[in-house]
mmCIF file of all heavy atoms in Angstrom:
data_model
loop_
_atom_site.group_PDB
_atom_site.id
_atom_site.type_symbol
_atom_site.label_atom_id
_atom_site.label_comp_id
_atom_site.label_asym_id
_atom_site.label_seq_id
_atom_site.Cartn_x
_atom_site.Cartn_y
_atom_site.Cartn_z
ATOM 1 N N MET A 321 -155.832 101.177 -59.792
ATOM 2 C CA MET A 321 -155.723 102.239 -58.799
ATOM 3 C C MET A 321 -154.272 102.422 -58.346
ATOM 4 O O MET A 321 -153.802 103.538 -58.206
ATOM 5 C CB MET A 321 -156.631 101.885 -57.618
ATOM 6 C CG MET A 321 -156.714 102.959 -56.584
ATOM 7 S SD MET A 321 -157.602 104.359 -57.282
ATOM 8 C CE MET A 321 -157.730 105.366 -55.865
ATOM 9 N N VAL A 322 -153.591 101.314 -58.112
ATOM 10 C CA VAL A 322 -152.187 101.373 -57.700
ATOM 11 C C VAL A 322 -151.343 102.002 -58.801
ATOM 12 O O VAL A 322 -150.399 102.756 -58.531
ATOM 13 C CB VAL A 322 -151.675 99.953 -57.339
ATOM 14 C CG1 VAL A 322 -150.191 99.975 -57.052
ATOM 15 C CG2 VAL A 322 -152.447 99.384 -56.167
ATOM 16 N N THR A 323 -151.699 101.728 -60.037
ATOM 17 C CA THR A 323 -150.963 102.291 -61.166
ATOM 18 C C THR A 323 -151.083 103.808 -61.187
ATOM 19 O O THR A 323 -150.090 104.507 -61.415
ATOM 20 C CB THR A 323 -151.506 101.710 -62.486
ATOM 21 O OG1 THR A 323 -151.455 100.288 -62.414
ATOM 22 C CG2 THR A 323 -150.702 102.192 -63.665
ATOM 23 N N TYR A 324 -152.259 104.327 -60.937
ATOM 24 C CA TYR A 324 -152.454 105.779 -60.934
ATOM 25 C C TYR A 324 -151.679 106.441 -59.792
ATOM 26 O O TYR A 324 -151.097 107.509 -59.965
ATOM 27 C CB TYR A 324 -153.939 106.129 -60.832
ATOM 28 C CG TYR A 324 -154.712 105.755 -62.077
ATOM 29 C CD1 TYR A 324 -155.818 104.923 -61.999
ATOM 30 C CD2 TYR A 324 -154.329 106.245 -63.313
ATOM 31 C CE1 TYR A 324 -156.536 104.580 -63.131
ATOM 32 C CE2 TYR A 324 -155.029 105.908 -64.455
ATOM 33 C CZ TYR A 324 -156.129 105.072 -64.358
ATOM 34 O OH TYR A 324 -156.821 104.734 -65.493
ATOM 35 N N VAL A 325 -151.646 105.809 -58.642
ATOM 36 C CA VAL A 325 -150.876 106.348 -57.518
ATOM 37 C C VAL A 325 -149.391 106.339 -57.860
ATOM 38 O O VAL A 325 -148.677 107.311 -57.606
ATOM 39 C CB VAL A 325 -151.156 105.540 -56.226
ATOM 40 C CG1 VAL A 325 -150.208 105.960 -55.117
ATOM 41 C CG2 VAL A 325 -152.603 105.702 -55.802
ATOM 42 N N SER A 326 -148.923 105.252 -58.463
ATOM 43 C CA SER A 326 -147.517 105.161 -58.863
ATOM 44 C C SER A 326 -147.173 106.225 -59.896
ATOM 45 O O SER A 326 -146.125 106.874 -59.813
ATOM 46 C CB SER A 326 -147.210 103.774 -59.428
ATOM 47 O OG SER A 326 -147.430 102.787 -58.459
ATOM 48 N N LEU A 327 -148.055 106.401 -60.875
ATOM 49 C CA LEU A 327 -147.813 107.437 -61.881
ATOM 50 C C LEU A 327 -147.838 108.831 -61.269
ATOM 51 O O LEU A 327 -147.054 109.704 -61.646
ATOM 52 C CB LEU A 327 -148.842 107.328 -63.004
ATOM 53 C CG LEU A 327 -148.655 106.166 -63.966
ATOM 54 C CD1 LEU A 327 -149.835 106.103 -64.938
ATOM 55 C CD2 LEU A 327 -147.359 106.293 -64.723
ATOM 56 N N GLY A 328 -148.731 109.055 -60.318
ATOM 57 C CA GLY A 328 -148.790 110.349 -59.638
ATOM 58 C C GLY A 328 -147.527 110.623 -58.853
ATOM 59 O O GLY A 328 -146.985 111.737 -58.889
ATOM 60 N N LEU A 329 -147.022 109.628 -58.144
ATOM 61 C CA LEU A 329 -145.778 109.800 -57.388
ATOM 62 C C LEU A 329 -144.592 110.024 -58.319
ATOM 63 O O LEU A 329 -143.718 110.854 -58.042
ATOM 64 C CB LEU A 329 -145.525 108.584 -56.494
ATOM 65 C CG LEU A 329 -146.488 108.426 -55.323
ATOM 66 C CD1 LEU A 329 -146.225 107.109 -54.607
ATOM 67 C CD2 LEU A 329 -146.350 109.594 -54.359
ATOM 68 N N LEU A 330 -144.568 109.303 -59.430
ATOM 69 C CA LEU A 330 -143.507 109.500 -60.413
ATOM 70 C C LEU A 330 -143.561 110.912 -60.981
ATOM 71 O O LEU A 330 -142.529 111.575 -61.130
ATOM 72 C CB LEU A 330 -143.635 108.474 -61.536
ATOM 73 C CG LEU A 330 -142.601 108.566 -62.651
ATOM 74 C CD1 LEU A 330 -141.212 108.295 -62.117
ATOM 75 C CD2 LEU A 330 -142.940 107.588 -63.758
ATOM 76 N N PHE A 331 -144.754 111.396 -61.281
ATOM 77 C CA PHE A 331 -144.911 112.748 -61.801
ATOM 78 C C PHE A 331 -144.427 113.783 -60.784
ATOM 79 O O PHE A 331 -143.700 114.721 -61.131
ATOM 80 C CB PHE A 331 -146.383 113.003 -62.157
ATOM 81 C CG PHE A 331 -146.650 114.382 -62.657
ATOM 82 C CD1 PHE A 331 -146.274 114.752 -63.938
ATOM 83 C CD2 PHE A 331 -147.274 115.320 -61.845
ATOM 84 C CE1 PHE A 331 -146.522 116.033 -64.403
ATOM 85 C CE2 PHE A 331 -147.522 116.599 -62.302
ATOM 86 C CZ PHE A 331 -147.142 116.959 -63.585
ATOM 87 N N LEU A 332 -144.793 113.608 -59.511
ATOM 88 C CA LEU A 332 -144.328 114.533 -58.476
ATOM 89 C C LEU A 332 -142.813 114.497 -58.341
ATOM 90 O O LEU A 332 -142.162 115.531 -58.188
ATOM 91 C CB LEU A 332 -144.987 114.196 -57.138
ATOM 92 C CG LEU A 332 -146.453 114.562 -57.006
ATOM 93 C CD1 LEU A 332 -146.996 114.054 -55.670
ATOM 94 C CD2 LEU A 332 -146.629 116.066 -57.097
ATOM 95 N N PHE A 333 -142.236 113.306 -58.385
ATOM 96 C CA PHE A 333 -140.786 113.179 -58.290
ATOM 97 C C PHE A 333 -140.093 113.898 -59.443
ATOM 98 O O PHE A 333 -139.103 114.599 -59.240
ATOM 99 C CB PHE A 333 -140.391 111.695 -58.274
ATOM 100 C CG PHE A 333 -138.915 111.473 -58.273
ATOM 101 C CD1 PHE A 333 -138.172 111.685 -57.119
ATOM 102 C CD2 PHE A 333 -138.264 111.059 -59.419
ATOM 103 C CE1 PHE A 333 -136.810 111.491 -57.119
ATOM 104 C CE2 PHE A 333 -136.903 110.861 -59.424
ATOM 105 C CZ PHE A 333 -136.169 111.072 -58.269
ATOM 106 N N VAL A 334 -140.616 113.738 -60.651
ATOM 107 C CA VAL A 334 -140.025 114.400 -61.822
ATOM 108 C C VAL A 334 -140.157 115.914 -61.698
ATOM 109 O O VAL A 334 -139.204 116.647 -61.982
ATOM 110 C CB VAL A 334 -140.677 113.879 -63.127
ATOM 111 C CG1 VAL A 334 -140.292 114.723 -64.317
ATOM 112 C CG2 VAL A 334 -140.289 112.432 -63.345
ATOM 113 N N MET A 335 -141.301 116.391 -61.260
ATOM 114 C CA MET A 335 -141.493 117.843 -61.108
ATOM 115 C C MET A 335 -140.542 118.416 -60.054
ATOM 116 O O MET A 335 -139.958 119.487 -60.256
ATOM 117 C CB MET A 335 -142.943 118.157 -60.753
ATOM 118 C CG MET A 335 -143.931 117.827 -61.863
ATOM 119 S SD MET A 335 -143.565 118.617 -63.436
ATOM 120 C CE MET A 335 -143.856 120.313 -63.017
ATOM 121 N N ILE A 336 -140.373 117.735 -58.946
ATOM 122 C CA ILE A 336 -139.456 118.197 -57.900
ATOM 123 C C ILE A 336 -138.021 118.172 -58.411
ATOM 124 O O ILE A 336 -137.236 119.091 -58.147
ATOM 125 C CB ILE A 336 -139.626 117.343 -56.626
ATOM 126 C CG1 ILE A 336 -140.973 117.647 -55.984
ATOM 127 C CG2 ILE A 336 -138.495 117.596 -55.641
ATOM 128 C CD1 ILE A 336 -141.349 116.699 -54.860
ATOM 129 N N SER A 337 -137.657 117.141 -59.160
ATOM 130 C CA SER A 337 -136.306 117.057 -59.718
ATOM 131 C C SER A 337 -136.039 118.193 -60.693
ATOM 132 O O SER A 337 -134.959 118.790 -60.677
ATOM 133 C CB SER A 337 -136.105 115.711 -60.417
ATOM 134 O OG SER A 337 -136.236 114.667 -59.504
ATOM 135 N N ILE A 338 -137.007 118.498 -61.542
ATOM 136 C CA ILE A 338 -136.845 119.597 -62.494
ATOM 137 C C ILE A 338 -136.718 120.923 -61.752
ATOM 138 O O ILE A 338 -135.874 121.758 -62.089
ATOM 139 C CB ILE A 338 -138.022 119.623 -63.491
ATOM 140 C CG1 ILE A 338 -137.930 118.427 -64.428
ATOM 141 C CG2 ILE A 338 -138.048 120.926 -64.285
ATOM 142 C CD1 ILE A 338 -139.146 118.245 -65.310
ATOM 143 N N PHE A 339 -137.527 121.124 -60.733
ATOM 144 C CA PHE A 339 -137.449 122.364 -59.957
ATOM 145 C C PHE A 339 -136.084 122.497 -59.291
ATOM 146 O O PHE A 339 -135.475 123.569 -59.317
ATOM 147 C CB PHE A 339 -138.563 122.379 -58.905
ATOM 148 C CG PHE A 339 -138.518 123.582 -58.025
ATOM 149 C CD1 PHE A 339 -138.932 124.818 -58.491
ATOM 150 C CD2 PHE A 339 -138.043 123.487 -56.727
ATOM 151 C CE1 PHE A 339 -138.885 125.943 -57.684
ATOM 152 C CE2 PHE A 339 -137.992 124.597 -55.908
ATOM 153 C CZ PHE A 339 -138.409 125.826 -56.390
ATOM 154 N N ASN A 340 -135.579 121.422 -58.702
ATOM 155 C CA ASN A 340 -134.260 121.464 -58.067
ATOM 156 C C ASN A 340 -133.160 121.732 -59.080
ATOM 157 O O ASN A 340 -132.229 122.496 -58.807
ATOM 158 C CB ASN A 340 -133.976 120.153 -57.325
ATOM 159 C CG ASN A 340 -134.756 120.049 -56.045
ATOM 160 O OD1 ASN A 340 -135.187 121.039 -55.472
ATOM 161 N ND2 ASN A 340 -134.945 118.824 -55.588
ATOM 162 N N TYR A 341 -133.247 121.122 -60.246
ATOM 163 C CA TYR A 341 -132.244 121.334 -61.279
ATOM 164 C C TYR A 341 -132.224 122.797 -61.717
ATOM 165 O O TYR A 341 -131.168 123.403 -61.839
ATOM 166 C CB TYR A 341 -132.526 120.434 -62.487
ATOM 167 C CG TYR A 341 -131.663 120.747 -63.668
ATOM 168 C CD1 TYR A 341 -130.329 120.375 -63.689
ATOM 169 C CD2 TYR A 341 -132.173 121.437 -64.769
ATOM 170 C CE1 TYR A 341 -129.525 120.676 -64.777
ATOM 171 C CE2 TYR A 341 -131.387 121.735 -65.854
ATOM 172 C CZ TYR A 341 -130.057 121.348 -65.853
ATOM 173 O OH TYR A 341 -129.270 121.656 -66.925
ATOM 174 N N ARG A 342 -133.401 123.362 -61.944
ATOM 175 C CA ARG A 342 -133.461 124.754 -62.396
ATOM 176 C C ARG A 342 -133.024 125.729 -61.319
ATOM 177 O O ARG A 342 -132.450 126.763 -61.618
ATOM 178 C CB ARG A 342 -134.868 125.097 -62.865
ATOM 179 C CG ARG A 342 -135.208 124.437 -64.167
ATOM 180 C CD ARG A 342 -136.513 124.918 -64.705
ATOM 181 N NE ARG A 342 -136.770 124.295 -66.000
ATOM 182 C CZ ARG A 342 -137.685 124.700 -66.837
ATOM 183 N NH1 ARG A 342 -138.460 125.700 -66.523
ATOM 184 N NH2 ARG A 342 -137.843 124.089 -67.977
ATOM 185 N N SER A 343 -133.292 125.423 -60.058
ATOM 186 C CA SER A 343 -132.895 126.346 -58.994
ATOM 187 C C SER A 343 -131.394 126.288 -58.733
ATOM 188 O O SER A 343 -130.800 127.275 -58.317
ATOM 189 C CB SER A 343 -133.663 126.040 -57.708
ATOM 190 O OG SER A 343 -133.300 124.771 -57.210
ATOM 191 N N ARG A 344 -130.763 125.153 -59.014
ATOM 192 C CA ARG A 344 -129.322 125.020 -58.778
ATOM 193 C C ARG A 344 -128.481 125.357 -59.998
ATOM 194 O O ARG A 344 -127.261 125.490 -59.884
ATOM 195 C CB ARG A 344 -128.993 123.586 -58.367
ATOM 196 C CG ARG A 344 -129.519 123.241 -57.016
ATOM 197 C CD ARG A 344 -129.124 121.840 -56.649
ATOM 198 N NE ARG A 344 -129.747 121.457 -55.389
ATOM 199 C CZ ARG A 344 -129.671 120.274 -54.867
ATOM 200 N NH1 ARG A 344 -128.999 119.318 -55.477
ATOM 201 N NH2 ARG A 344 -130.257 120.009 -53.729
ATOM 202 N N ARG A 345 -129.114 125.471 -61.140
ATOM 203 C CA ARG A 345 -128.378 125.715 -62.381
ATOM 204 C C ARG A 345 -127.665 127.061 -62.312
ATOM 205 O O ARG A 345 -128.231 128.052 -61.885
ATOM 206 C CB ARG A 345 -129.339 125.687 -63.559
ATOM 207 C CG ARG A 345 -128.645 125.819 -64.896
ATOM 208 C CD ARG A 345 -129.613 125.687 -66.014
ATOM 209 N NE ARG A 345 -130.703 126.642 -65.845
ATOM 210 C CZ ARG A 345 -131.727 126.744 -66.666
ATOM 211 N NH1 ARG A 345 -131.813 125.943 -67.678
ATOM 212 N NH2 ARG A 345 -132.661 127.638 -66.456
ATOM 213 N N ARG A 346 -126.422 127.056 -62.712
ATOM 214 C CA ARG A 346 -125.651 128.294 -62.720
ATOM 215 C C ARG A 346 -125.607 128.840 -64.139
ATOM 216 O O ARG A 346 -125.509 128.093 -65.101
ATOM 217 C CB ARG A 346 -124.230 128.027 -62.237
ATOM 218 C CG ARG A 346 -124.196 127.573 -60.788
ATOM 219 C CD ARG A 346 -122.830 127.194 -60.379
ATOM 220 N NE ARG A 346 -121.954 128.344 -60.485
ATOM 221 C CZ ARG A 346 -120.664 128.306 -60.208
ATOM 222 N NH1 ARG A 346 -120.111 127.202 -59.829
ATOM 223 N NH2 ARG A 346 -119.920 129.385 -60.326
ATOM 224 N N LYS A 347 -125.642 130.140 -64.228
ATOM 225 C CA LYS A 347 -125.539 130.757 -65.545
ATOM 226 C C LYS A 347 -124.075 130.744 -65.978
ATOM 227 O O LYS A 347 -123.171 130.941 -65.181
ATOM 228 C CB LYS A 347 -126.026 132.201 -65.487
ATOM 229 C CG LYS A 347 -127.526 132.331 -65.252
ATOM 230 C CD LYS A 347 -127.941 133.757 -65.179
ATOM 231 C CE LYS A 347 -128.055 134.323 -66.568
ATOM 232 N NZ LYS A 347 -128.549 135.706 -66.567
ATOM 233 N N ALA A 348 -123.853 130.499 -67.243
ATOM 234 C CA ALA A 348 -122.498 130.525 -67.771
ATOM 235 C C ALA A 348 -122.026 131.976 -67.813
ATOM 236 O O ALA A 348 -122.787 132.880 -68.175
ATOM 237 C CB ALA A 348 -122.474 129.925 -69.172
ATOM 238 N N PRO A 349 -120.779 132.220 -67.414
ATOM 239 C CA PRO A 349 -120.281 133.599 -67.439
ATOM 240 C C PRO A 349 -120.126 134.095 -68.871
ATOM 241 O O PRO A 349 -119.837 133.321 -69.786
ATOM 242 C CB PRO A 349 -118.928 133.514 -66.734
ATOM 243 C CG PRO A 349 -118.552 132.085 -66.767
ATOM 244 C CD PRO A 349 -119.808 131.295 -66.880
ATOM 245 N N SER A 350 -120.317 135.384 -69.043
ATOM 246 C CA SER A 350 -120.170 135.982 -70.366
ATOM 247 C C SER A 350 -118.679 136.095 -70.696
ATOM 248 O O SER A 350 -117.827 136.019 -69.806
ATOM 249 C CB SER A 350 -120.819 137.364 -70.388
ATOM 250 O OG SER A 350 -120.090 138.249 -69.558
ATOM 251 N N PRO A 351 -118.346 136.283 -71.961
ATOM 252 C CA PRO A 351 -116.921 136.431 -72.326
ATOM 253 C C PRO A 351 -116.251 137.602 -71.609
ATOM 254 O O PRO A 351 -115.070 137.510 -71.246
ATOM 255 C CB PRO A 351 -116.964 136.671 -73.840
ATOM 256 C CG PRO A 351 -118.223 136.009 -74.287
ATOM 257 C CD PRO A 351 -119.193 136.193 -73.148
ATOM 258 N N GLU A 352 -116.988 138.689 -71.382
ATOM 259 C CA GLU A 352 -116.407 139.829 -70.674
ATOM 260 C C GLU A 352 -116.076 139.457 -69.232
ATOM 261 O O GLU A 352 -115.029 139.835 -68.709
ATOM 262 C CB GLU A 352 -117.373 141.020 -70.696
ATOM 263 C CG GLU A 352 -117.586 141.631 -72.066
ATOM 264 C CD GLU A 352 -118.620 140.877 -72.892
ATOM 265 O OE1 GLU A 352 -119.412 140.109 -72.310
ATOM 266 O OE2 GLU A 352 -118.614 141.038 -74.118
ATOM 267 N N GLN A 353 -116.972 138.705 -68.580
ATOM 268 C CA GLN A 353 -116.712 138.276 -67.210
ATOM 269 C C GLN A 353 -115.519 137.332 -67.160
ATOM 270 O O GLN A 353 -114.704 137.402 -66.237
ATOM 271 C CB GLN A 353 -117.948 137.598 -66.626
ATOM 272 C CG GLN A 353 -119.100 138.536 -66.364
ATOM 273 C CD GLN A 353 -120.359 137.798 -65.951
ATOM 274 O OE1 GLN A 353 -120.558 136.646 -66.336
ATOM 275 N NE2 GLN A 353 -121.202 138.458 -65.180
ATOM 276 N N LEU A 354 -115.400 136.447 -68.147
ATOM 277 C CA LEU A 354 -114.246 135.544 -68.195
ATOM 278 C C LEU A 354 -112.950 136.321 -68.376
ATOM 279 O O LEU A 354 -111.938 136.015 -67.748
ATOM 280 C CB LEU A 354 -114.415 134.531 -69.326
ATOM 281 C CG LEU A 354 -115.431 133.424 -69.090
ATOM 282 C CD1 LEU A 354 -115.577 132.574 -70.340
ATOM 283 C CD2 LEU A 354 -115.043 132.568 -67.920
ATOM 284 N N ASN A 355 -112.979 137.326 -69.249
ATOM 285 C CA ASN A 355 -111.778 138.138 -69.462
ATOM 286 C C ASN A 355 -111.366 138.855 -68.184
ATOM 287 O O ASN A 355 -110.186 138.898 -67.843
ATOM 288 C CB ASN A 355 -112.013 139.154 -70.577
ATOM 289 C CG ASN A 355 -112.068 138.501 -71.940
ATOM 290 O OD1 ASN A 355 -111.573 137.393 -72.130
ATOM 291 N ND2 ASN A 355 -112.687 139.183 -72.896
ATOM 292 N N LYS A 356 -112.333 139.419 -67.460
ATOM 293 C CA LYS A 356 -112.021 140.102 -66.205
ATOM 294 C C LYS A 356 -111.452 139.127 -65.179
ATOM 295 O O LYS A 356 -110.509 139.450 -64.463
ATOM 296 C CB LYS A 356 -113.266 140.779 -65.642
ATOM 297 C CG LYS A 356 -113.704 142.003 -66.409
ATOM 298 C CD LYS A 356 -114.953 142.611 -65.796
ATOM 299 C CE LYS A 356 -115.452 143.783 -66.607
ATOM 300 N NZ LYS A 356 -116.684 144.359 -66.044
ATOM 301 N N LEU A 357 -112.024 137.931 -65.111
ATOM 302 C CA LEU A 357 -111.554 136.931 -64.163
ATOM 303 C C LEU A 357 -110.127 136.505 -64.476
ATOM 304 O O LEU A 357 -109.272 136.451 -63.581
ATOM 305 C CB LEU A 357 -112.486 135.722 -64.179
ATOM 306 C CG LEU A 357 -112.099 134.564 -63.270
ATOM 307 C CD1 LEU A 357 -112.158 135.000 -61.812
ATOM 308 C CD2 LEU A 357 -113.020 133.387 -63.500
ATOM 309 N N VAL A 358 -109.843 136.235 -65.737
ATOM 310 C CA VAL A 358 -108.491 135.826 -66.126
ATOM 311 C C VAL A 358 -107.506 136.951 -65.854
ATOM 312 O O VAL A 358 -106.409 136.722 -65.327
ATOM 313 C CB VAL A 358 -108.462 135.405 -67.612
ATOM 314 C CG1 VAL A 358 -107.045 135.213 -68.111
ATOM 315 C CG2 VAL A 358 -109.273 134.141 -67.808
ATOM 316 N N PHE A 359 -107.882 138.173 -66.175
ATOM 317 C CA PHE A 359 -106.998 139.315 -65.937
ATOM 318 C C PHE A 359 -106.707 139.485 -64.451
ATOM 319 O O PHE A 359 -105.572 139.713 -64.049
ATOM 320 C CB PHE A 359 -107.633 140.593 -66.502
ATOM 321 C CG PHE A 359 -106.774 141.799 -66.325
ATOM 322 C CD1 PHE A 359 -105.603 141.937 -67.040
ATOM 323 C CD2 PHE A 359 -107.131 142.801 -65.435
ATOM 324 C CE1 PHE A 359 -104.795 143.046 -66.872
ATOM 325 C CE2 PHE A 359 -106.339 143.905 -65.254
ATOM 326 C CZ PHE A 359 -105.168 144.037 -65.981
ATOM 327 N N SER A 360 -107.728 139.352 -63.605
ATOM 328 C CA SER A 360 -107.507 139.509 -62.166
ATOM 329 C C SER A 360 -106.645 138.379 -61.614
ATOM 330 O O SER A 360 -105.813 138.601 -60.732
ATOM 331 C CB SER A 360 -108.844 139.572 -61.424
ATOM 332 O OG SER A 360 -109.518 138.334 -61.509
ATOM 333 N N ILE A 361 -106.809 137.165 -62.135
ATOM 334 C CA ILE A 361 -105.962 136.051 -61.682
ATOM 335 C C ILE A 361 -104.516 136.283 -62.097
ATOM 336 O O ILE A 361 -103.585 136.094 -61.294
ATOM 337 C CB ILE A 361 -106.493 134.716 -62.239
ATOM 338 C CG1 ILE A 361 -107.818 134.364 -61.572
ATOM 339 C CG2 ILE A 361 -105.479 133.597 -62.033
ATOM 340 C CD1 ILE A 361 -108.527 133.175 -62.199
ATOM 341 N N LEU A 362 -104.309 136.703 -63.334
ATOM 342 C CA LEU A 362 -102.948 136.955 -63.800
ATOM 343 C C LEU A 362 -102.309 138.109 -63.043
ATOM 344 O O LEU A 362 -101.133 138.055 -62.697
ATOM 345 C CB LEU A 362 -102.950 137.243 -65.304
ATOM 346 C CG LEU A 362 -103.300 136.060 -66.205
ATOM 347 C CD1 LEU A 362 -103.402 136.518 -67.654
ATOM 348 C CD2 LEU A 362 -102.284 134.955 -66.058
ATOM 349 N N LYS A 363 -103.104 139.133 -62.766
ATOM 350 C CA LYS A 363 -102.580 140.298 -62.051
ATOM 351 C C LYS A 363 -102.195 139.924 -60.623
ATOM 352 O O LYS A 363 -101.122 140.291 -60.143
ATOM 353 C CB LYS A 363 -103.641 141.403 -62.045
ATOM 354 C CG LYS A 363 -103.152 142.704 -61.499
ATOM 355 C CD LYS A 363 -104.219 143.773 -61.624
ATOM 356 C CE LYS A 363 -103.742 145.078 -61.045
ATOM 357 N NZ LYS A 363 -104.754 146.106 -61.125
ATOM 358 N N SER A 364 -103.041 139.197 -59.936
ATOM 359 C CA SER A 364 -102.739 138.799 -58.560
ATOM 360 C C SER A 364 -101.598 137.786 -58.523
ATOM 361 O O SER A 364 -100.811 137.766 -57.603
ATOM 362 C CB SER A 364 -103.973 138.241 -57.867
ATOM 363 O OG SER A 364 -104.360 137.018 -58.464
ATOM 364 N N GLY A 365 -101.481 136.945 -59.523
ATOM 365 C CA GLY A 365 -100.380 135.974 -59.593
ATOM 366 C C GLY A 365 -99.050 136.660 -59.764
ATOM 367 O O GLY A 365 -98.043 136.256 -59.186
ATOM 368 N N GLY A 366 -99.010 137.710 -60.528
ATOM 369 C CA GLY A 366 -97.772 138.469 -60.717
ATOM 370 C C GLY A 366 -97.345 139.172 -59.453
ATOM 371 O O GLY A 366 -96.169 139.294 -59.134
ATOM 372 N N GLN A 367 -98.288 139.647 -58.668
ATOM 373 C CA GLN A 367 -97.955 140.319 -57.412
ATOM 374 C C GLN A 367 -97.422 139.323 -56.392
ATOM 375 O O GLN A 367 -96.547 139.656 -55.617
ATOM 376 C CB GLN A 367 -99.185 141.022 -56.849
ATOM 377 C CG GLN A 367 -99.621 142.228 -57.665
ATOM 378 C CD GLN A 367 -100.922 142.843 -57.153
ATOM 379 O OE1 GLN A 367 -101.568 142.279 -56.300
ATOM 380 N NE2 GLN A 367 -101.290 143.987 -57.703
ATOM 381 N N ARG A 368 -97.914 138.107 -56.397
ATOM 382 C CA ARG A 368 -97.432 137.096 -55.450
ATOM 383 C C ARG A 368 -95.979 136.737 -55.758
ATOM 384 O O ARG A 368 -95.209 136.481 -54.861
ATOM 385 C CB ARG A 368 -98.303 135.836 -55.532
ATOM 386 C CG ARG A 368 -99.416 135.858 -54.532
ATOM 387 C CD ARG A 368 -100.113 134.519 -54.459
ATOM 388 N NE ARG A 368 -101.207 134.515 -55.426
ATOM 389 C CZ ARG A 368 -101.465 133.545 -56.293
ATOM 390 N NH1 ARG A 368 -100.727 132.480 -56.305
ATOM 391 N NH2 ARG A 368 -102.459 133.644 -57.143
ATOM 392 N N ASP A 369 -95.614 136.728 -57.044
ATOM 393 C CA ASP A 369 -94.243 136.366 -57.409
ATOM 394 C C ASP A 369 -93.253 137.418 -56.960
ATOM 395 O O ASP A 369 -92.104 137.106 -56.650
ATOM 396 C CB ASP A 369 -94.139 136.182 -58.930
ATOM 397 C CG ASP A 369 -94.921 134.962 -59.399
ATOM 398 O OD1 ASP A 369 -95.209 134.092 -58.556
ATOM 399 O OD2 ASP A 369 -95.265 134.899 -60.606
ATOM 400 N N ARG A 370 -93.650 138.674 -56.912
ATOM 401 C CA ARG A 370 -92.756 139.765 -56.540
ATOM 402 C C ARG A 370 -92.499 139.794 -55.035
ATOM 403 O O ARG A 370 -91.487 140.298 -54.592
ATOM 404 C CB ARG A 370 -93.338 141.108 -56.970
ATOM 405 C CG ARG A 370 -93.390 141.256 -58.470
ATOM 406 C CD ARG A 370 -93.924 142.618 -58.865
ATOM 407 N NE ARG A 370 -94.375 142.569 -60.251
ATOM 408 C CZ ARG A 370 -95.338 143.325 -60.732
ATOM 409 N NH1 ARG A 370 -95.944 144.194 -59.980
ATOM 410 N NH2 ARG A 370 -95.684 143.216 -61.991
ATOM 411 N N GLU A 371 -93.419 139.303 -54.236
ATOM 412 C CA GLU A 371 -93.273 139.405 -52.778
ATOM 413 C C GLU A 371 -92.364 138.373 -52.205
ATOM 414 O O GLU A 371 -91.824 137.508 -52.633
ATOM 415 C CB GLU A 371 -94.637 139.259 -52.104
ATOM 416 C CG GLU A 371 -95.552 140.413 -52.398
ATOM 417 C CD GLU A 371 -96.933 140.206 -51.790
ATOM 418 O OE1 GLU A 371 -97.192 139.120 -51.247
ATOM 419 O OE2 GLU A 371 -97.736 141.135 -51.874
#
């Protein structure tokens, strides 16, 4: 009986961990988004040097 309770608690813990992992997972940016980000960083960096 104790074994079944332990297995049940372990199963619940694993399910909660998987749910938390999936809810916190970030999507990787697409190449187009990366290009826009790099361009905006370079553009803003150039403006800071001029001021």
Side-chain angles (χ1 to χ4, degrees):
M321 186 69 174
V322 174
T323 305
Y324 291 124
V325 171
S326 299
L327 286 174
L329 291 174
L330 179 64
F331 178 75
L332 287 175
F333 176 75
V334 169
M335 294 304 293
I336 290 170
S337 298
I338 290 171
F339 177 75
N340 286 338
Y341 171 75
R342 288 187 177 194
S343 66
R344 291 182 186 175
R345 185 176 54 181
R346 296 174 62 181
K347 291 179 80 176
S350 68
E352 292 82 18
Q353 290 173 332
L354 286 175
N355 288 339
K356 288 179 184 178
L357 178 64
V358 170
F359 181 70
S360 67
I361 290 171
L362 291 174
K363 188 176 179 181
S364 67
Q367 290 175 351
R368 267 190 270 133
D369 292 341
R370 293 182 199 151
E371 293 176 354

